[in-house]
Amino acid sequence: MKVKVLSRNPDEYLRETKTSIHRIPRNIDPSLHPFEGPREYVRALNATKLERVFAKPFVANLDGHKDGISCLAKHPTKLSTIISGAYDGEVKVWNLTSQSCVQTYQAHDGHVRDVCFLPDGSQFLSVGIDNTIKTWSSELSESDHIVPLHTIISKSVISSISHQRKSKIFATCGDQCQLWEHERNEPIRAFSWNVDSLHHVQFNPIDKHILASCASDRSIILYDTRATGPIRKVVMSLRSNMVSWNPMEAFVFTAANEDFNLYSYDIRQLNSPLNVHKDMTSAVTSVDYSPTGREFVAGGYDKSLRLYLAHQGHSRDIYHTKRMQHVTHTVWSLDNKFVISASDEMNLRVWKAHASEKLGYVNNKQRQALDYSESLKQKYAHHPQIRRIARHRQVPRHIYNAQAEHRAIRSKQKRKESNKRTHSAPGTVPQTKERERAVVKEME
């Protein structure tokens, strides 16, 4: 009689050490696992629900200003340092780690219009309504009365300032766009294009010779410091308040507009934006890209922050509080973990860039579990129930009502255009792409 004995090779199931994981034999033949798909779907559904349960984006509130905050700037080398300027002329240096103000400067007579750091972070520049450009040391001082290292009195109005990366040149705008050097009290070059005023200027972080500015004639003007004048200009239907360059793509920038939208442009083709980013219900005042270039944050007069993916037209998340008023400025931290907002009720707020992200140390096992859950959510993101849970947000009543009103307005406009086209001769009412409606003309 033959007897069959079950036998296993010890090398297949014994652990090398006690800290090693158990070796479990597994046959990955799909026919042996008929419920693998339903199990993964349930896990993706639970992961999506848990993400919304733990979505608590608010981190801290920084108070100390005596008037509304007008501008923000992040330190180029220190993750925990930011500076803010207010309407009463004060500039404060904040430490995000300790959530406290570490230095206060009485910088200007009247409100501070803009601030920016030098590339090495040892000093920063501020401009105010008193038409002065002041250089300050960012090193902490025990003195109550701190004097600027250098002061330049401008002959014209100054609305904004931006420093060139890895160079001693900075740009200001007001009546015209001007280039300055630290060693001189007069601008080394000035650019103008028959506009009354410019209210924002921003250097390209990759191509240091390119900068953009927003003008009062509803235009966005591009400059090249190697040229003798402005190079290109795009005129929109409403005014743009701020521009932000993509730190990973030298030719892409996003403009925050008064028509409640944001527009991403390619400087090589300004007659049509790359994307129109919607969902804001009031004028957009601020925009800033994440260091990865894949996302950006925007704030405006609807008292909320919205986070967008650079290639999508709708926001992926909205942040708001009961106390927060009009958002005047936003920045995205250089470690891609936090978003800082400034509003005109004298407070800075720190938010998580990803609402449900766990702060602090995450070990390898937790990281693997989080990565697995994220991959499942992406795999089943198109399923109706998961998509509904992932997209659902509680918004304030005034935003909810404004969204309904805007939907009705858009529906009315589409219906009116359709009726006009139906009752007109063929070809007299042309089809206009939605991306091109906000662009009036492009000039070179």
Side-chain angles (χ1 to χ4, degrees), residues 169-384:
I169 297 176
F170 62 92
T172 61
C173 69
D175 297 340
Q176 55 187 349
C177 184
Q178 297 175 329
L179 296 181
W180 305 74
E181 282 186 349
H182 291 287
E183 293 80 8
R184 300 188 181 185
N185 291 334
E186 295 291 335
I188 60 175
R189 193 175 302 171
F191 304 102
S192 61
W193 196 335
N194 299 326
V195 294
D196 293 334
S197 63
L198 307 169
H199 51 269
H200 184 258
V201 65
Q202 185 72 40
F203 264 109
N204 191 318
I206 302 175
D207 190 343
K208 65 179 184 178
H209 300 291
I210 303 296
L211 65 155
S213 66
C214 300
S216 60
D217 65 343
R218 312 186 313 276
S219 65
I220 301 172
I221 307 175
L222 299 179
Y223 308 89
D224 191 331
T225 59
R226 298 162 293 189
T228 57
I231 52 176
R232 301 184 78 183
K233 172 181 178 179
V234 56
V235 181
M236 305 187 67
S237 58
L238 288 179
R239 192 183 83 162
S240 295
N241 292 316
M242 183 178 287
V243 296
S244 179
W245 292 92
N246 190 320
M248 291 297 167
E249 298 179 6
F251 43 82
V252 175
F253 69 87
T254 299
N257 202 272
E258 288 278 344
D259 65 354
F260 315 162
N261 296 328
L262 298 105
Y263 297 89
S264 293
Y265 282 96
D266 188 324
I267 62 176
R268 300 168 295 185
Q269 187 178 3
L270 292 176
N271 57 356
S272 175
L274 293 175
N275 211 335
V276 180
H277 310 278
K278 300 182 177 181
D279 289 344
M280 299 290 285
T281 60
S282 188
V284 190
T285 57
S286 178
V287 59
D288 189 40
Y289 265 93
S290 68
T292 62
R294 298 179 180 178
E295 299 173 295
F296 61 85
V297 59
Y301 271 60
D302 62 355
K303 307 176 186 178
S304 68
L305 293 179
R306 285 191 182 267
L307 283 75
Y308 293 84
L309 293 174
H311 63 278
Q312 291 185 358
H314 293 278
S315 62
R316 69 164 176 83
D317 217 333
I318 177 173
Y319 297 163
H320 56 86
T321 65
K322 290 184 178 180
R323 247 190 97 190
M324 186 164 67
Q325 297 301 311
H326 301 154
V327 178
T328 56
H329 210 113
T330 55
V331 295
W332 200 303
S333 67
L334 293 176
D335 60 353
N336 200 31
K337 289 185 176 294
F338 299 99
V339 171
I340 300 97
S341 67
S343 49
D344 58 7
E345 90 291 347
M346 305 175 290
N347 285 293
L348 288 114
R349 290 177 175 85
V350 183
W351 313 79
K352 289 189 284 188
H354 299 277
S356 59
E357 183 180 12
K358 179 184 176 182
L359 299 180
Y361 174 74
V362 178
N363 59 35
N364 291 335
K365 190 173 182 180
Q366 291 174 324
R367 174 56 57 194
Q368 291 174 358
L370 291 173
D371 292 342
Y372 177 63
S373 298
E374 189 64 31
S375 63
L376 286 180
K377 286 186 289 186
Q378 293 177 4
K379 181 177 180 180
Y380 293 92
H382 62 283
H383 283 244

Side-chain angles (χ1 to χ4, degrees), residues 25 46 64 78 83 125 160-161 168 224 230 232 271 287 290 306 312 319 380 388 390 401 443:
N46 291 337
K78 296 180 181 178
I83 56 175
L125 301 170
S160 180
I161 188 169
K168 295 183 179 180
D224 191 331
R232 301 184 78 183
N271 57 356
V287 59
S290 68
R306 285 191 182 267
Q312 291 185 358
Y319 297 163
Y380 293 92
R388 180 184 62 82
N401 294 336
M443 303 171 63

Side-chain angles (χ1 to χ4, degrees), residues 1-7:
M1 185 177 77
K2 294 182 179 179
V3 177
K4 294 184 178 180
V5 180
L6 296 176
S7 63

